[in-house]
Amino acid sequence: MNCENLRRVEERIEKACQRAGRKREEVLLLGASKQVPANRLREFFSCGLRTFGESKVQEFLKKYEEFKDLPVDWHFIGRLQSNKVKYILGKVSLIHSLDRDSLLEELQKRAKSLGISQDVLIEVNVGGEESKGGVEPKYLERFLEKVLMSEGVKVRGLMCIPPYKENPEEVRPYFIMLRELREKLESNLKLKLPHLSMGMSHDFEVAIEEGATIVRIGTALFGERV
Ligand SMILES: *Cc1c(COP(=O)(O)O)cnc(C)c1O
């Protein structure tokens, strides 16, 4: 078993925290584990990684069953179809991708019937990309107000998947945008949105400098997906 990748990512997180004057505990490392086989996840678990984020419901369910013996903290980070909400509710501690009314309604309905409260992040389409999910920034406050009125759904912050840029410095403005959106919402609506889920393998250090509290890292941990 080789914990080298994890150790290296940890070190980079630590350094980014130091540069930003933040504590290491303020940033959660989530292993973005789509397409990574269960035995490999087990290795990372034994190296100390506890939080995994899956992107496809079917793949998640399979891994969830395989890991029933271990206290893995599962998140759901992919696009979520409303008709699949029922399969993951109660099994993931955080859904990162709430971005529309129909999904909110289904979450509310299912959470209520299970008698649970589901933590969610609202995904924001910071780059205005049609190919991506996420609420447009101009509709964000209105959407958040709806989420706040929904029983059984507890909003914990914002998430974004910015446009891909070779140079991570070019992604910085999108991370700043998400942080500023959070500040504006917190002050307009008098509430706390503790989490900013932003930063992936090639740009997580910049994201940490701009306030990320959850970084979602795939290839830098697990290697290239095949
Ligand atoms: C795959 C994925 C990641 C991780 O991407 P890497 O570039 O491999 O680190 C992060 N977030 C989401 C939503 C993903 O689907």
Side-chain angles (χ1 to χ4, degrees), residues 49-67:
L49 190 59
R50 289 293 173 272
T51 305
F52 295 103
E54 286 289 331
S55 309
K56 297 254 156 62
V57 169
Q58 246 192 336
E59 185 178 347
F60 161 67
L61 290 172
K62 210 162 152 255
K63 287 176 179 161
Y64 181 81
E65 287 305 317
E66 287 183 51
F67 281 84

Side-chain angles (χ1 to χ4, degrees), residues 30-34 53-55 76-79 96-97 123 159-161 164 197 199-204 215-225:
L30 174 151
S33 49
K34 58 174 177 271
E54 286 289 331
S55 309
F76 193 82
I77 64 176
R79 275 183 116 161
H96 291 229
S97 49
E123 181 177 347
M159 178 271 223
C160 74
I161 309 175
Y164 181 83
S197 167
M200 311 185 359
S201 289
H202 78 293
D203 57 17
F204 68 87
V215 289
R216 310 177 310 266
I217 300 182
T219 44
L221 286 171
F222 308 116
E224 290 293 332
R225 290 178 287 274

